[in-house]
Amino acid sequence: PEKAIILWTFGKYYIIIFYDSNILTSDSMTSKDLGRGGEQMVEETIRTIKETENEAEGIIKKADAACTEILDNAKAEAAEMVGRAEAEAKSEAAAALEAAKEAGRKSEQEAMDSVEKEIATLKKDALAKESEVVSAVIEELV
């Protein structure tokens, strides 16, 4: 008949060894010999499990370190991208401001040119009418 022994529990997992009880009556091995071999097998299994746990712990630590490094790199890259975007936005804003100032100066100059032309036209008209006015004033006086 088959029997089982639980050797180790790992969270919700169990390591179970099944063996045939008929082996215990074999001529080549006594139950005492099997017990010693079984102990050695249990010890080896436990050692293997502990080594596997240690390896898993090492893998988890490496993964955690890699995760931290990836996050740090992502943060640094994001900060660099924000810095570049801010610099680009400032540069674009400065260029737009300068273009607006230039457009303002141009409009102001056009307005000044228009006013100067109007003043020149008014002076010309006034000079043309000056002789008429002087003649009219003299006629009134005489």
Side-chain angles (χ1 to χ4, degrees), residues 19-87:
Y19 63 94
D20 187 347
S21 62
N22 291 333
I23 294 176
L24 295 176
T25 60
S26 167
D27 291 337
S28 62
M29 197 182 298
T30 66
S31 62
K32 193 174 191 182
D33 290 337
L34 184 62
R36 284 191 201 123
E39 285 176 17
Q40 184 180 9
M41 187 171 71
V42 168
E43 288 174 7
E44 189 175 315
T45 303
I46 291 171
R47 189 177 327 109
T48 302
I49 291 169
K50 286 183 180 181
E51 288 172 3
T52 304
E53 286 175 342
N54 289 338
E55 288 175 18
E57 188 175 319
I59 290 169
I60 290 170
K61 285 180 182 178
K62 286 179 184 177
D64 188 41
C67 179
T68 301
E69 182 180 350
I70 289 168
L71 288 174
D72 289 345
N73 290 341
K75 286 177 187 176
E77 188 175 331
E80 187 178 311
M81 290 172 69
V82 167
R84 283 194 306 259
E86 286 177 350

Side-chain angles (χ1 to χ4, degrees), residues 4 6-7 10 12-13 18 21 35 39 41 73-74 87-88 98 104 111 115 123-125 128 136 142:
I6 297 175
L7 295 177
F10 184 69
K12 63 180 181 177
Y13 300 102
F18 294 94
S21 62
E39 285 176 17
M41 187 171 71
N73 290 341
E88 187 176 324
E98 189 57 38
V115 168
K123 280 183 181 181
K124 185 179 176 185
D125 289 347
V142 187

